C-alpha cells in the first residue's frame, strides 16, 4: 500500500459534560478524549477541527487531545481507533478515500469500515478544482478536450497524493466519458504537483481551493473548473466541469465523517454525533470552513452509511474499468 508521511503533532482543547452513558452514575466524558486524525497539522480538516475544539470545550468541559497520525492512506489513524475500547474516548475523522476507495483499490487493506468502525456524523465536503498554468496553452476545459482529442495520450494530469486519490478517479471517469486519453503523474503532495502545473511540467492537476490559494493569488496557476455539480461560494466565477464543456458532471470532492470504534454504546454514539453536528454549524466554525473552500454537511450515521455505499460502488466501477487495482 502506498504510504504518505506528514509532520505529527498533538494539540489539546475539546471537552464535555454528558449524562450517564454505559457505566452507572458515570458522566461521559470523565477523562480526556482522543481525536485521532489521518491528516497533517495545519491541513484543511485539521484547522477546522481545531476550531471546533474551542466550541466543544465551551459546550463540554473535558479536555480532548487532537492527535495527528498521517500516513499509510489513513491506516495509522484508523487502526488506533479500531483497536481502542468502544467507550467514546477515541474517535477519528476520515474521508472517502479511506472509506470508499481503499477497499477496492488495494488488496491488503487492514480494516473493514463496516466491521471495525461506528459512523457518527458527516462533517465536510471539499471539492477539487482543475488547475492549469496561468500562462500555458490550456485555458479552458474545452481546450483541454480539443488538444487531448487531437493528441491522444500526450497530455498529463497530476494526482496530488498518488494513485487512487479521489480526484484521480474522477479524472479517469471524465476521460472515459469523454473518450479521451491522458496519463497520470502521481505525486507525494499537492505543493510539488502545483509547482509542476505552474511550470508546465505536467499539463494540469486537481487541488482544493485552500491548498492552491497561494499560487492562485500569485497568478501562477488558474482554476478552469470545479469538480462539483454546482459553483462554489468561495469561487463563484469558476464553472463546473459540465458548464465548462465536459459531457457529464464530474464529482471530484473529498468528504469527511466522524467515526468511533465498533460497538459504541448507542447513547454515546447519538450524543457524539449530535454534538459534533451542532458545533459544525457554529458561525465561526462554518465561516472558517467555507473560507477554506469546504462545504459543511449535516448528516447522521445513516447518511454516512448511505454515502459510503453509493461511492464505494462508483469508485469500484472506475477502478475496475480503468485497471487500477493494486
Amino acid at each position: 500500500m502506498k504510504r504518505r508521511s506528514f509532520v505529527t503533532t498533538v494539540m489539546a482543547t475539546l471537552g464535555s459534560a454528558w449524562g450517564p452513558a454505559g457505566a452507572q452514575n458515570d458522566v461521559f466524558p470523565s477523562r480526556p478524549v482522543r481525536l485521532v486524525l489521518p491528516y497533517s497539522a495545519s491541513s484543511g480538516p485539521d484547522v477546522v477541527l481545531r476550531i471546533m475544539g474551542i466550541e466543544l470545550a465551551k459546550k463540554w468541559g473535558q479536555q480532548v487531545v487532537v492527535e495527528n497520525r498521517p500516513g499509510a492512506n489513513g491506516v495509522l489513524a484508523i487502526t488506533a481507533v479500531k483497536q481502542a475500547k468502544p467507550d467514546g474516548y477515541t474517535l477519528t475523522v476520515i474521508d472517502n478515500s479511506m472509506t470508499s476507495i481503499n477497499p477496492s483499490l488495494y488488496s491488503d487493506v487492514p480494516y473493514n469500515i463496516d466491521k471495525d468502525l461506528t459512523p457518527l456524523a458527516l462533517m465536510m465536503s471539499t471539492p477539487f478544482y482543475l488547475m492549469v498554468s496561468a500562462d500555458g496553452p490550456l485555458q479552458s476545459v474545452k481546450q483541454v478536450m480539443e488538444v487531448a482529442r487531437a493528441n491522444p495520450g500526450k497530455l498529463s494530469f497530476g494526482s496530488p497524493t498518488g494513485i487512487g486519490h479521489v480526484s484521480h478517479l474522477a479524472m479517469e471517469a471524465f476521460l472515459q466519458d469523454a473518450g479521451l486519453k491522458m496519463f497520470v503523474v502521481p505525486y507525494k503532495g499537492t505543493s510539488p504537483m502545483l509547482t509542476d502545473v505552474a511550470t508546465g511540467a505536467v499539463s494540469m492537476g486537481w487541488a482544493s481551493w485552500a491548498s492552491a490559494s497561494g499560487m492562485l493569488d500569485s497568478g501562477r496557476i488558474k482554476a478552469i473548473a470545479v469538480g462539483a455539480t454546482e459553483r462554489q461560494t468561495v469561487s463563484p466565477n469558476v464553472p463546473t466541469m459540465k458548464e465548462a464543456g465536459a459531457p457529464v458532471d464530474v464529482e471530484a470532492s473529498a468528504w469527511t465523517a466522524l467515526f468511533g470504534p465498533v460497538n459504541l454504546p448507542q447513547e454515546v454514539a447519538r450524543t457524539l454525533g449530535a454534538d459534533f453536528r451542532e458545533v459544525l454549524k457554529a458561525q465561526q466554525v462554518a465561516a472558517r470552513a467555507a473560507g477554506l473552500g469546504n462545504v459543511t454537511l449535516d448528516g447522521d450515521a445513516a447518511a454516512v452509511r448511505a454515502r459510503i455505499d453509493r461511492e464505494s460502488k462508483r469508485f469500484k466501477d472506475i477502478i475496475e474499468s480503468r485497471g487500477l487495482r493494486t
Side-chain angles (χ1 to χ4, degrees):
M1 178 178 291
K2 307 252 190 276
R3 296 185 179 270
R4 313 171 203 168
S5 56
F6 299 87
V7 178
T8 301
T9 189
V10 176
M11 173 182 176
T13 76
L14 310 172
S16 153
W18 263 305
Q24 191 174 15
N25 297 325
D26 278 353
V27 175
F28 180 86
S30 58
R31 65 179 191 274
V33 174
R34 286 197 303 158
L35 186 60
V36 186
L37 302 182
Y39 311 108
S40 60
S42 299
S43 62
D46 178 79
V47 168
V48 176
L49 286 163
R50 289 176 186 278
I51 296 172
M52 288 182 68
I54 297 172
E55 298 305 309
L56 285 168
K58 296 175 184 176
K59 181 178 180 63
W60 296 349
Q62 270 291 338
Q63 183 185 49
V64 175
V65 176
V66 178
E67 189 176 319
N68 299 91
R69 288 201 186 185
N73 287 317
V75 169
L76 301 181
I78 292 172
T79 299
V81 175
K82 85 169 191 175
Q83 293 178 345
K85 185 177 180 181
D87 53 13
Y89 287 96
T90 305
L91 309 170
T92 189
V93 173
I94 57 179
D95 60 52
N96 51 344
S97 68
M98 302 158 203
T99 62
S100 306
I101 294 177
N102 285 357
S104 294
L105 183 64
Y106 301 109
S107 58
D108 59 348
V109 178
Y111 62 82
N112 183 301
I113 290 295
D114 294 329
K115 296 180 180 179
D116 295 329
L117 298 178
T118 298
L120 300 170
L122 279 174
M123 303 294 289
M124 297 179 294
S125 176
T126 307
F128 292 91
Y129 293 76
L130 188 57
M131 306 288 181
V132 297
S133 174
D135 57 3
L138 304 174
Q139 292 295 297
S140 70
V141 172
K142 287 184 178 179
Q143 284 184 323
V144 167
M145 295 175 66
E146 290 170 358
V147 174
R149 190 163 285 117
N151 303 274
K154 291 189 177 181
L155 291 184
S156 58
F157 68 96
S159 180
T161 52
I163 298 299
H165 185 266
V166 61
S167 66
H168 171 209
L169 298 186
M171 190 65 167
E172 293 284 359
F174 161 65
L175 295 175
Q176 184 168 278
D177 290 333
L180 304 175
K181 291 184 179 181
M182 297 185 196
F183 66 93
V184 61
V185 180
Y187 287 83
K188 293 183 178 180
T190 301
S191 292
M193 181 196 72
L194 290 179
T195 297
D196 281 356
V197 169
T199 62
V202 65
S203 306
M204 65 202 79
W206 294 86
S208 68
W209 192 260
S211 62
S213 60
M215 296 184 72
L216 287 167
D217 291 343
S218 67
R220 298 181 64 195
I221 60 174
K222 175 184 177 181
I224 59 174
V226 61
T229 57
E230 59 185 25
R231 297 192 183 201
Q232 302 298 298
T233 302
V234 74
S235 56
N237 295 325
V238 179
T240 67
M241 285 286 287
K242 188 173 183 180
E243 287 178 329
V248 297
D249 283 322
V250 175
E251 292 186 59
S253 63
W255 55 264
T256 53
L258 177 71
F259 288 83
V262 72
N263 295 325
L264 275 181
Q266 290 185 3
E267 184 58 31
V268 172
R270 280 194 296 267
T271 307
L272 279 166
D275 282 1
F276 268 79
R277 289 166 63 192
E278 177 185 332
V279 167
L280 192 57
K281 297 175 187 176
Q283 192 278 330
Q284 54 270 46
V285 176
R288 183 61 172 142
L292 291 171
N294 301 301
V295 178
T296 54
L297 304 174
D298 183 20
D300 58 11
V304 177
R305 292 190 186 93
R307 282 216 176 199
I308 292 173
D309 291 343
R310 177 177 66 85
E311 288 207 343
S312 292
K313 183 181 185 308
R314 179 168 74 94
F315 287 128
K316 182 179 180 180
D317 290 345
I318 297 170
I319 290 166
E320 291 182 349
S321 66
R322 306 298 279 185
L324 299 173
R325 183 172 174 81
T326 62

